[in-house]
Each structure stands twice: as C-alpha cells, then as structure tokens.
Amino acid sequence: MKASDLIRREIAGVFARTTSEPIEAHARCGPFGLHLGFASQDLARMFLPAYVQRAADGVDLELRFVTATDHDLSALVPEASEKPRLLIEDGIYSVWQPAVIPVLYAIDLVARRGIAWLPKGEAPPWIRSRPAISLIHALMQETPWCAVHAAAVGSTTGFTLLAGEGHSGKTTAALACVKAGWRYAGDDFVAVNSVTGAIEPLFCSARLRPALVDAFGDLIGGTTPVSDFNGELRHELSLAGLGERLGGGKLRALFIPRRRGAASPEFTPAKPSDAFRALLPTTAYELPGWPNQIAEKVARIAGLAPVFFADTGTRPAEIPAAFADQLQRL
C-alpha cells in the first residue's frame, strides 16, 4: 500500500470512529473556515485559545485534534522516527515533527479533512500558538494566499506587515499598536494574498517576553501560561478578547523592524529585496513543502507596497503614532 493511501485510510478512520468530538468549534484561519474537533477538554484548552472563533459560515477544512489515547496512528510514524518527514502525494500532505514532543499533521486535500495527532498528549508552545499551520499552508497552495512569518496591524490608514528575525521588535510594535486601538492580524504568522495584498489573521495568539510585561501587562490575564523553550520564557497570550478588532485589511506598507539606537521611531527607505529577505527564511523553514511556490508568492508580496526599515525606538508607546504618520505619508 502506498504511503498516501495508508494516510488517507487513517484520516478517514479518525472521522469514522465518532460522529463528533466532545468539544467542537468553528474558526476563521486566513481565508478559510474551519470546523474544529477536540477529543478532550485538555486538547481544547491547549489549542482553541489560539484560533479566531467565528460562527459557521462555510467550512473549508474539518480538523480534529487527537492523541494516542484516542486513536492509534503509530502506523503513520516513519521507521526513522527521530527524523522529520514530509509526504506530498496524490492529494495527501503529511508532516511528522519528532523533537522532544512529537506531532503528526496530515490532510486529505480532496476530502478536506485533517488531523493533528499528539502521541504524548502534549505539544510544544510554538505549536500551540499556531496549531496546524502546516495544514493551512497546504490548503493555500492552489490559491494566491501565503502564510508568511510576520506581524500585521492596521488602522484607518491601512495595514502594515512587520517582517524580521526574532528579537527584532515585531511583537513589541504589534502589541503597542493593539494597545492604541489598532486592528490585529497576528504577531508571528499571518495570511497575505500575493495578488491583492489582502491580509487576514491566522490566529489570535501572541508570545510576549517577560521584559515586556510592564509595557503590556494589561494584555496578560491572570492565568496566562508561561512557556520555557531552551531557556526562553514567553507569556502565551490569547487576544481573543479583542473581538471585532481581530481582523485584516489591505497592505499599505512593509516595515522591517530593527534596533539601531534611536530614542524615537525612525524610518529609512528599503527595497523589495530587503522585504523578501526578511520574510522568506523563517517562512520557508517553518512551512514544509513547495519552497519554489513560497518564494514566488513572497517575492510578489514584497513588491506590493513601499518598504521601510523601522528603528522602533526605546518607548513602545510612541510606535503607533509614528507608524500612523508614516502610513499617512504614502
């Protein structure tokens, strides 16, 4: 039996064994409507806070989160289980991510059914903040949409993508704008239409370093979990409470945050190639499969709007006004 046939059979089996999961919800993830099913309250608590929950208005993907206790999917684990594995074959996309806490994602692109299988019943924090993003990536391949590694916020003057490496200031800038009343589309990965420049949130999560707690303490609930990955502490936030301010809009500019010692925010003209280099590496690394298509879409996105380097300064409260002023000048 081909690997794709086995995976398709196992996905169908997960959906056949029960008519519904104990916990269900509907969400929007980029341009797609999701019907989510969780095999337990623990799984729902683990992943549901990251999703932008919305009333059902069409379902593009049925997605179920299960563990080894619920379904034995060990037949899908590769023999060399310590190594990652990607399979794209006959309408099946599957990713095995071993690490210390393994996760298996698989989707039948024809049936529009996907599974997230957690053999140990747990998931690393970076997966909790963007659950099943690789399956959304697979759904996007036949569309102009692309999940890109960036933050995105918007006001009446339009949306900006904030692209750059970790610790460059993306989250600080995004949350400063949220605190000032801007719309929020994400601080890690967002969906961008590479033709129209439309931006949509994938998730409503954010990951905040402890050093920023004083500046954004009002966004942190009393039960917000703190994760520790390789010594890097993060407050795992759900911004679901933003309600209608969770949403997207039209790309107006791309800002590449970087810290160069300015006291207040400063902007320097940049090139589309700078935006391309800021967006592509982590996007391609985190989303397995179709690297050429990813590069093509990212290149188009980088050319859709003016690009600027943005030294965000030392006072986060000044960022929203500086961003708004720069967008109004375009």
Side-chain angles (χ1 to χ4, degrees):
M1 178 182 292
K2 289 196 306 184
S4 57
D5 291 335
L6 174 61
I7 294 171
R8 179 172 280 110
R9 187 186 70 183
E10 293 294 333
I11 292 174
V14 168
F15 281 84
R17 289 171 203 164
T18 57
T19 56
S20 64
E21 297 292 359
I23 309 298
E24 297 187 47
H26 287 87
R28 294 295 301 178
C29 195
F32 304 120
L34 307 186
H35 181 200
L36 306 170
F38 303 92
S40 69
Q41 285 279 4
D42 286 342
L43 288 174
R45 281 192 292 267
M46 195 180 302
F47 295 111
L48 192 52
Y51 281 107
V52 182
Q53 296 185 59
R54 293 287 188 264
D57 59 352
V59 175
D60 300 293
L61 176 64
E62 299 272 357
L63 177 57
R64 293 197 173 174
F65 292 81
V66 297
T67 71
T69 302
D70 311 304
H71 299 279
D72 179 11
L73 300 179
S74 57
L76 303 185
V77 177
E79 289 186 11
S81 60
E82 74 282 2
K83 297 180 180 180
R85 183 192 181 193
L86 168 67
L87 175 74
I88 303 174
E89 180 181 84
D90 295 340
I92 292 293
Y93 172 92
S94 176
V95 178
W96 167 251
Q97 299 176 339
V100 177
I101 307 175
V103 180
L104 173 76
Y105 290 122
I107 183 173
D108 182 337
L109 291 166
V110 178
R112 293 294 179 112
R113 286 178 167 179
I115 56 171
W117 185 58
L118 287 70
K120 296 184 178 181
E122 284 289 335
W126 65 90
I127 287 180
R128 297 185 189 194
S129 68
R130 52 188 190 220
I133 188 173
S134 57
L135 302 189
I136 302 303
H137 165 57
L139 281 178
M140 288 178 170
Q141 288 317 296
E142 298 298 326
T143 78
W145 288 89
C146 184
V148 297
H149 179 240
V153 288
S155 67
T156 55
T157 51
F159 262 74
T160 178
L161 276 182
L162 307 173
E165 300 178 352
H167 301 280
S168 64
K170 295 192 304 297
T171 298
T172 300
L175 294 185
C177 290
V178 168
K179 192 172 179 179
W182 290 40
R183 289 174 67 81
Y184 178 76
D187 89 317
D188 184 27
F189 270 84
V190 297
V192 184
N193 188 304
S194 62
V195 174
T196 67
I199 294 174
E200 291 293 342
L202 290 166
F203 308 103
C204 61
S205 55
R207 309 189 70 209
L208 186 66
R209 296 195 310 277
L212 298 175
V213 168
D214 289 342
F216 304 112
D218 52 340
L219 297 177
I220 302 176
T223 59
T224 299
V226 178
S227 65
D228 182 352
F229 177 64
N230 289 341
E232 290 196 6
L233 299 179
R234 292 287 189 276
H235 288 272
E236 303 292 338
L237 308 185
S238 172
L239 300 183
L242 292 176
E244 292 303 314
R245 286 205 289 129
L246 284 170
K250 185 70 177 292
L251 176 63
R252 180 67 172 154
L254 294 100
F255 294 160
I256 305 173
R258 57 181 186 176
R259 295 185 171 99
R260 293 293 187 271
S264 298
E266 296 180 353
F267 299 89
T268 305
K271 301 175 182 178
S273 58
D274 296 314
F276 179 80
R277 286 192 293 269
L279 289 167
L280 184 63
T282 303
T283 297
Y285 177 77
E286 296 286 352
L287 301 177
W290 303 287
N292 292 338
Q293 289 91 327
I294 292 176
E296 290 171 2
K297 289 180 181 181
V298 169
R300 289 199 297 268
I301 291 167
L304 288 176
V307 184
F308 298 89
F309 292 114
D311 187 329
T312 52
T314 59
R315 295 182 287 271
E318 295 182 2
I319 293 174
F323 276 18
D325 181 65
Q326 184 67 18
L327 291 173
Q328 287 171 348
R329 293 171 182 270
L330 301 179

